[in-house]
Amino acid sequence: MIPAFFGLSGLALTDAERSFFRSAAPAGFILFRRNCGDRAQMRALTDDLRSLVGRDDVPILIDQEGGRVQRMGPPEWPKLPAGEAFARLWDKAPVSAMEAARVNAKAIAVILREVGVNVDCLPLLDVRRPDADTVIGDRALGTEPKQVASLGRLVIDGLREGGVVGVVKHMPGHGRTHLDTHKALPIIDASDDELAEDIQPFRQLNDAPMGMTAHLVYAAWDAERPASQSPVVVQDIIRGRIGFDGLLMSDDLGMHALSGDFGARAAGALAAGTDIALHCSGEMAEMESVAGALGPIPRVSYDRLQRAMATVATQASDESFEELVAKRDSLLALA
């Protein structure tokens, strides 16, 4: 097994993907809209991935946040609220907002489990800043660190109750960015004291099973390298000050915030101390470059992966998606 999560190109595995994944033995996979047709197709695809690698608990990830970031969407699946909806409710009724966040996350888990997806890249613990780029924007759970942490905790709980692993992102905080990392590399000039606010939600949820780094340069910590490639940020800040010991993956290696060939990007992320290199495009040449740069998954990373996948409930939810959504909507109506 190599320490990589890979995307794939379409609604079903190609012969080339089948051969490559069997040979490379990635630690897991990630799905995007191009892989999500309908329920039967997705279940067949995820069953195929499990059979191919011979692991029932292989992580199959998706970004199913709600709002702008929802890979499984209409008309096959209903539209989900963005993080901002829960932040607005918090302003009027914090306890209701926390319960709404929990039942919404559990509802997401129900539809993910139905199609064989067992990891959701949620919650965002990025603290929203009014003058920042909109790449985070209404995806955030609020502008105050303790609020973000409280809502994020209930998202993790709801996903777990529904049988899905949550991923806290984007460590050590993406809320101040003035550029979209899909397009360019942002440099964050905030001081160490200012950045202490950004890491607070991650410190409060440092027992989360999985986390994702950010492709941002934090000048106060490492002015030369983005966090995902920086031993200082990963080891001193994320593992040290935040105290996170869960499975840590890079953000997508295909983002234009990074430079160099894909093998170098993957090797840089692992050298910095992340556990998993995340590659999302499904482009075969890029995946081959990533796989060629990586050795077997280190034992410490394998153990973190096993711990993370063991955190979820194995029993099916006793509440239907419709019941959970009705409960969520009645709470959100209070806002």
Side-chain angles (χ1 to χ4, degrees), residues 256-281:
H256 293 300
L258 300 183
S259 58
D261 68 70
F262 283 87
R265 297 180 191 193
L270 270 292
T274 60
D275 296 300
I276 298 289
L278 176 66
H279 181 274
C280 298
S281 73

Side-chain angles (χ1 to χ4, degrees), residues 13-77:
L13 286 170
T14 66
D15 289 343
E17 287 171 339
R18 195 178 299 279
S19 176
F20 171 71
F21 292 144
R22 187 179 291 116
S23 173
F29 303 94
I30 185 166
L31 304 182
F32 284 81
R33 187 174 292 275
R34 64 182 180 270
N35 312 120
C36 305
D38 58 38
R39 288 167 171 80
Q41 168 269 322
M42 282 195 72
R43 187 74 215 198
L45 176 59
T46 57
D47 285 348
D48 200 5
L49 289 170
R50 289 188 170 87
S51 176
L52 183 68
V53 298
R55 289 183 282 136
D56 288 341
D57 65 345
V58 61
I60 301 178
L61 290 70
I62 200 166
D63 290 286
Q64 191 73 357
E65 298 177 11
R68 290 178 288 140
V69 181
Q70 182 175 336
R71 311 309 186 196
M72 296 161 55
E76 183 71 10
W77 295 277

